[in-house]
Amino acid sequence: MSAASSRHIVIVGAGVAGLTAAALLAHHGYRVSLFEKQSVPGGRAAAMTWDGFTFDLGPTLLFMPDVYREAFARWGGDFDREVPMLRLRPNYRLNYADGKNLVISSLLSETMRSLEAFAPGSSDGFLRYFADAADAYQRSRRLFVGERIRSFAHFLSPERIAALFSTGAFRHLGAQALRSFGDPRVAGAFSFQSMYLGMSPFDAPLLYRLLLFTELGEGIFFPLGGIGALPRALDRAARSNGAQIHYDTEIAEVERSGERVVAVRTGGGERIECDAIVLNADLPYAYDRLLGDPEHRSLRMRHTPSALLVYAALEERYDDLLHHEFLMPSDLRRTCTDIFERGRIPEDPAIYLCAPGASDPRMAPPGKEALYLLVPAPSLEGVVDWAGKRDAIVDRALRIVEERRLPGLRSRIRWVRSRTPLEFQNELSLNRGSAFGLSHDVFQIGPMRPDNRHAKLKNCYFAGASTRPATGLPLVTLGAMQSVERICEELG
């Protein structure tokens, strides 16, 4: 019997990072028990089917598939076989209030033609801007997120310091985009992607133009069956490797002795001994509620805002609706100010639409559509009365979509469900209802982001959006691989 096989590791949370860690640790020979309080895998990336309509409940875009290929290959799996997917073309359509639209495609010539039709002359700076985005991506992938940051000294190497300056860590994304394109609408089209990380493009470091490369250089993908196909495949892999997975089982307490975790207790009172623990729960929540450390710095760090998610079952789909579309506000800066500074729902919100039936008709009954809306919104730190005004806020979002893009929308709706920051906090245990975890400003990345191991409890590890390296499905997958590498080094 190997040393690993005699050691029991408990994982709390079946998000993508928790499931990746479970599959890898089980492959390395550890006895793995994963506990998830929800009934399905995925955490924020879970999916549900109601009345034949399948909805991804959180993320709907898949980027950086090479990360998942690497993860699956580590246990001998084949990601492309386990999670068959389509590369979308075009990526999405941006719709503006004046009736004009801009189509963004990973085929750059298509994007440039659309740019010229939308704002003549605006394509002149596009290739340079894209090349700089590609450079930022390659440097960041190699130097900032591709390997575990072990210390400040490790992070602050001459090469990394130079890269921080050259990639624009101390300049603003929105300002550079405006200088590159002139037209504020085009600048917004190539900088709003920072909102994927819960950051305003007007405050986000220029470094995050790398997100544009993930979209245009590598492409946007859709797993057949939705993003939920990814955690389902990870669940299968973890079980196949020998992990035990327990859904509908909440971990209520982490028991420690000295500088080690020795057991966990379920909400039902069962005590499970362990040799190490991986917490895939939201890191500030984990420190506060599970580890009994309400003064941990993560609870004082800057959190991202949140989102209103709307799931609408349509009796009839719209044939001209792309898989991904955005309704762009007339003044993106004012919209971001409302969300990020004033903590309120904007009068002119940005709205993202996802119509997966455009790529996979099986996501809804024949001829129908599982329409998904996302409206960036403040977290529970804001001034929005989510409990009292949820229905009015949802109805207003649907009305805006109906007026600007989908005529007759509300008459096609069979039913509507929604998720607000209240559900992010109460159901997913996300501190402050922040949908994306801790913010990614320049002082909350690298070694300044919470470590993936507890400073005092030497067998307590973390994986997920609020630890290193960052939020987003591919990056939490990278983070899970880094946490597992550390466990194997330190636990043996």
Side-chain angles (χ1 to χ4, degrees), residues 178-330:
L178 186 59
R179 284 193 291 269
S180 296
F181 296 105
D183 188 319
R185 298 170 302 169
V186 178
F190 294 118
S191 62
F192 83 96
Q193 293 83 4
S194 68
M195 297 176 79
Y196 297 159
L197 297 178
M199 297 191 70
S200 164
F202 303 100
D203 296 322
L206 177 59
L207 167 68
Y208 292 129
R209 61 184 162 183
L210 62 87
L211 295 166
L212 181 67
F213 179 77
T214 66
E215 290 187 350
L216 300 188
E218 296 189 331
I220 292 176
F221 295 83
F222 174 69
L224 295 177
I227 291 290
L230 173 60
R232 290 193 296 271
L234 289 168
D235 174 283
R236 293 193 301 270
R239 292 177 190 272
S240 176
N241 291 346
Q244 300 294 313
I245 300 181
H246 309 269
Y247 292 104
D248 296 307
T249 306
E250 182 173 8
I251 296 300
E253 181 185 351
V254 174
E255 183 181 327
R256 68 186 77 182
S257 177
E259 295 186 347
R260 298 189 70 80
V261 170
V262 295
V264 297
R265 290 187 184 273
T266 69
E270 181 183 2
R271 182 178 185 272
I272 299 106
E273 293 185 356
C274 60
D275 296 290
I277 187 171
V278 179
L279 295 174
N280 182 219
D282 183 46
L283 185 139
Y285 169 88
Y287 271 103
D288 183 18
R289 301 297 182 86
L290 298 178
L291 297 172
D293 186 2
E295 301 303 317
H296 188 263
R297 70 183 185 95
S298 64
L299 285 101
R300 302 188 301 274
M301 294 174 73
R302 187 153 73 146
H303 288 50
T304 59
S306 195
L308 166 68
L309 303 179
V310 179
Y311 316 110
L314 303 190
E315 295 287 8
E316 182 182 357
R317 72 178 316 274
Y318 289 84
D319 292 334
D320 65 337
L321 185 61
L322 297 182
H323 191 131
H324 302 297
E325 298 205 15
F326 294 84
L327 304 187
M328 300 296 286
S330 56

Side-chain angles (χ1 to χ4, degrees), residues 37 43-44 280-286 303-306 379-380 419-438 465-466:
K37 71 176 184 177
R44 275 170 272 196
N280 182 219
D282 183 46
L283 185 139
Y285 169 88
H303 288 50
T304 59
S306 195
S379 71
L380 296 178
R419 173 175 280 178
T420 74
L422 288 174
E423 285 73 42
F424 284 120
Q425 176 177 262
N426 298 332
E427 296 178 5
L428 295 177
S429 300
L430 301 179
N431 195 49
R432 307 180 194 176
S434 296
F436 310 97
L438 296 180
S466 291

